[in-house]
Amino acid sequence: MRLEEVVRARKRAARRLRQAHIAITPHEEETIEVSDFGLGDLDNVGLLVVVYENNDHYCAKEIVLLPRQICPEHRHPPSGEKNAGKQETFRCRSGEVYLYVPGEPTPNPRARVPEKYRKYLTIWKELLLQPGDQYTLPPDTLHWFQAGDKGAVLSEFSSVSTDENDIWTDPRLQRLPKID
Amino acid sequence: MRLEEVVRARKRAARRLRQAHIAITPHEEETIEVSDFGLGDLDNVGLLVVVYENNDHYCAKEIVLLPRQICPEHRHPPSGEKNAGKQETFRCRSGEVYLYVPGEPTPNPRARVPEKYRKYLTIWKELLLQPGDQYTLPPDTLHWFQAGDKGAVLSEFSSVSTDENDIWTDPRLQRLPKID
C-alpha cells in the first residue's frame, strides 16, 4: 500500500471511532494498522485495527470495518507446544457484523461478496453481531466476517496475537503488506 | 448486600454505560457484579462490573465507577506454578480515573478519600487516566483507584481473573460479599 493511502485510511478509521464514541490517543491514531492484505481493494477487503495491548498473556484490539468491508477467511493455528492457537472473542460495539464459522451453512446469508472473492470463502454458518453481542471462537477455527451497510466497530479480546502465523484460505493474502 | 440494593445498583450502572454509548445485553445488565466489599458504603467504596469474557487465557470486563467511588488497594498474587498473578490493562473509556501504584507519592493527589478509609491506602503514586488513556499493571502489584467527580467507565483487559485470590490491604474486605 502507498503511505498516503494508509494515512487516509487511518483518518477514516479515527473518524468512525469518534462517531462510535470510542476515544483513542493521537499516537494510537497515527499507528492504526491498515491492511488491504495485498489485494489493493481496501474498501471491499481489509482491516483497520487499533492494538490497545498485546503481551504474552492477552491482547485487546478495536477493529474498524468500513461499510461491507470483508475480513477474509483464516484461522490461527497452534504455535509451539504451549500455544494451542489464538482464542478470540469478538464483541460488536457499533454497526452490524456478519461472522461466519464452521457448521451448517445459513440459508440466505446477509453477507454480500463480490464474485471474485467467493472462491476463498468456504464456510457460511452465519452469526449476527449487533451492539452488545459477542462470540468466542475456539483456537484454530476458520472464520471470516463482513460489516453491514453502515460499517462497524468490533472489539477483539484474545490470547496473544501472532498475526504472522495466520493461515489464510486465499494463499495470496498477506496480513501486513509492505507500505511504500 | 440486600438484593434490592444490588438491583438498584445494576440499573445505575446500566444507565451510566448507556450514557457512555457502551451497549450491553439485557442478560449482561441483569448479571452486573455489584460489590461493596462488605463495607455497606457502595457510593464511596465499591465496584460495578460487566464481565464480558473470562477464560483460561484472557479476561475482559467493563468497570463502572460512580462519582468518586473507590476500588480499594489490592494485588493479584501468583496462583500456582504457571500463573505469576493476574496482569491487567486499565483503559479509560469515559470520565476520569486516578490510579495509584507503587512509587514516589504524588504531591497533591487528585483522590479525595474519606478519613476512615485512608489507613488502608498505602501507595500514592498517581496516574491520571482520561478517555483513551491506559496503563498496564504487572502481576502482583499493589494498586487502587478512584473515579473523578463525574464517575467513569474503565475497560479491563487481563490474563485469567480469579477474584477469590485477591489480597486486600484492608483485611475486612470481601470481593464478592453475600447477597441476601
Side-chain angles (χ1 to χ4, degrees):
Chain A
M1 294 185 75
R2 288 172 55 202
L3 180 58
E4 63 183 38
E5 197 184 351
V6 170
V7 170
R8 201 163 52 232
R10 283 179 180 147
K11 284 187 182 156
R12 291 173 76 183
R15 197 162 51 232
R16 288 182 165 270
L17 287 169
R18 276 193 295 275
Q19 284 164 355
H21 305 274
I22 293 172
I24 62 171
T25 63
H27 176 72
E28 286 172 333
E29 174 167 345
E30 283 161 22
T31 54
I32 290 175
E33 277 184 21
V34 178
S35 175
D36 67 357
F37 301 99
L39 295 178
D41 186 14
L42 184 67
D43 278 351
N44 283 310
V45 181
L47 276 185
L48 309 169
V49 181
V50 184
V51 181
Y52 290 150
E53 177 70 16
N54 186 21
N55 58 46
D56 287 349
H57 303 288
Y58 57 90
C59 177
K61 303 177 177 179
E62 218 76 82
I63 299 172
V64 179
L65 291 165
L66 303 174
R68 290 287 171 182
Q69 197 179 34
I70 293 167
C71 172
E73 190 176 290
H74 66 290
R75 60 187 170 87
H76 309 287
S79 65
E81 258 181 49
K82 285 184 179 172
N83 184 334
K86 183 188 179 199
Q87 176 170 325
E88 54 195 0
T89 301
F90 295 112
R91 184 175 179 91
C92 182
R93 298 294 195 161
S94 76
E96 210 167 72
V97 176
Y98 316 125
L99 173 64
Y100 295 88
V101 298
E104 190 66 33
T106 299
N108 308 313
R110 290 174 173 87
R112 286 206 313 260
V113 178
E115 193 51 41
K116 63 179 168 181
Y117 297 128
R118 296 186 77 88
K119 181 175 170 188
Y120 296 110
L121 302 177
T122 66
I123 52 168
W124 286 89
K125 179 181 174 179
E126 179 178 282
L127 300 164
L128 169 63
L129 300 183
Q130 292 175 314
D133 295 333
Q134 67 177 43
Y135 183 77
T136 296
L137 198 76
D140 206 14
T141 303
L142 277 176
H143 59 291
W144 65 277
F145 48 88
Q146 183 180 44
D149 288 335
K150 295 180 178 173
V153 177
L154 197 61
S155 289
E156 183 189 296
F157 316 124
S158 73
S159 50
V160 55
S161 183
T162 53
D163 296 328
E164 64 279 15
N165 294 330
D166 295 350
I167 294 175
W168 300 85
T169 303
D170 180 347
R172 295 171 301 172
L173 301 190
Q174 310 154 261
R175 171 68 180 85
L176 293 174
K178 212 166 119 271
I179 296 173
D180 298 317
Chain B
M1 295 184 75
R2 289 173 53 204
L3 180 58
E4 63 182 41
E5 198 185 350
V6 171
V7 170
R8 201 163 51 233
R10 284 180 179 145
K11 284 187 183 156
R12 291 173 76 183
R15 198 162 51 233
R16 287 183 165 270
L17 286 169
R18 277 192 296 275
Q19 284 164 355
H21 304 276
I22 293 172
I24 62 170
T25 63
H27 175 72
E28 285 171 335
E29 174 167 344
E30 284 161 22
T31 54
I32 291 174
E33 277 184 21
V34 177
S35 176
D36 67 358
F37 301 99
L39 295 178
D41 186 16
L42 184 67
D43 278 352
N44 282 312
V45 181
L47 275 184
L48 309 169
V49 181
V50 185
V51 181
Y52 290 150
E53 177 71 17
N54 186 21
N55 58 46
D56 288 348
H57 304 286
Y58 56 91
C59 178
K61 301 177 177 179
E62 217 76 83
I63 299 174
V64 179
L65 291 165
L66 303 174
R68 288 287 171 182
Q69 197 179 34
I70 293 167
C71 171
E73 189 176 290
H74 66 289
R75 61 188 169 88
H76 309 288
S79 64
E81 258 181 50
K82 286 184 178 172
N83 185 332
K86 183 186 177 200
Q87 177 171 325
E88 54 195 0
T89 301
F90 295 113
R91 183 175 179 92
C92 182
R93 299 293 195 162
S94 76
E96 212 168 71
V97 176
Y98 316 126
L99 172 63
Y100 295 88
V101 298
E104 190 67 33
T106 299
N108 308 312
R110 291 173 173 85
R112 287 208 311 262
V113 178
E115 193 52 41
K116 61 180 169 180
Y117 298 128
R118 295 186 77 89
K119 181 174 168 189
Y120 296 111
L121 301 177
T122 66
I123 52 170
W124 286 89
K125 179 181 173 180
E126 179 178 280
L127 301 164
L128 169 63
L129 301 183
Q130 293 176 314
D133 293 335
Q134 67 178 45
Y135 183 77
T136 296
L137 198 76
D140 206 14
T141 303
L142 277 177
H143 59 291
W144 65 277
F145 48 89
Q146 183 180 44
D149 289 334
K150 296 180 178 173
V153 177
L154 197 61
S155 290
E156 183 189 296
F157 316 123
S158 73
S159 50
V160 55
S161 181
T162 53
D163 296 327
E164 64 279 15
N165 295 330
D166 295 350
I167 293 174
W168 300 86
T169 304
D170 180 347
R172 295 171 302 171
L173 301 190
Q174 311 154 259
R175 171 67 180 84
L176 293 173
K178 213 165 118 271
I179 296 174
D180 299 317

Short mmCIF file of all heavy atoms in Angstrom, two decimals, chain B residues 74 88 105 168:
data_model
loop_
_atom_site.label_atom_id
_atom_site.label_comp_id
_atom_site.label_asym_id
_atom_site.label_seq_id
_atom_site.Cartn_x
_atom_site.Cartn_y
_atom_site.Cartn_z
N HIS B 74 -5.32 -3.36 46.52
CA HIS B 74 -5.18 -4.82 46.47
C HIS B 74 -4.13 -5.22 45.46
O HIS B 74 -3.61 -4.38 44.72
CB HIS B 74 -6.52 -5.47 46.12
CG HIS B 74 -6.99 -5.16 44.73
ND1 HIS B 74 -7.46 -3.92 44.35
CD2 HIS B 74 -7.08 -5.93 43.61
CE1 HIS B 74 -7.81 -3.94 43.08
NE2 HIS B 74 -7.58 -5.14 42.60
N GLU B 88 -2.91 -6.91 34.24
CA GLU B 88 -4.11 -6.25 33.74
C GLU B 88 -3.83 -4.88 33.14
O GLU B 88 -2.92 -4.18 33.56
CB GLU B 88 -5.20 -6.16 34.82
CG GLU B 88 -4.78 -5.53 36.11
CD GLU B 88 -5.76 -5.79 37.27
OE1 GLU B 88 -6.77 -6.48 37.08
OE2 GLU B 88 -5.48 -5.29 38.37
N PRO B 105 5.34 8.96 46.05
CA PRO B 105 3.99 9.52 46.19
C PRO B 105 3.84 10.83 45.43
O PRO B 105 4.76 11.66 45.42
CB PRO B 105 3.86 9.76 47.70
CG PRO B 105 4.86 8.85 48.33
CD PRO B 105 6.01 8.75 47.34
N TRP B 168 -6.29 -8.02 49.77
CA TRP B 168 -6.69 -6.64 50.05
C TRP B 168 -5.90 -6.11 51.24
O TRP B 168 -5.70 -6.81 52.22
CB TRP B 168 -8.20 -6.60 50.34
CG TRP B 168 -8.97 -7.10 49.16
CD1 TRP B 168 -9.27 -8.41 48.87
CD2 TRP B 168 -9.45 -6.32 48.06
NE1 TRP B 168 -9.93 -8.48 47.66
CE2 TRP B 168 -10.05 -7.22 47.14
CE3 TRP B 168 -9.44 -4.95 47.76
CZ2 TRP B 168 -10.63 -6.79 45.95
CZ3 TRP B 168 -10.02 -4.53 46.58
CH2 TRP B 168 -10.60 -5.43 45.68
#
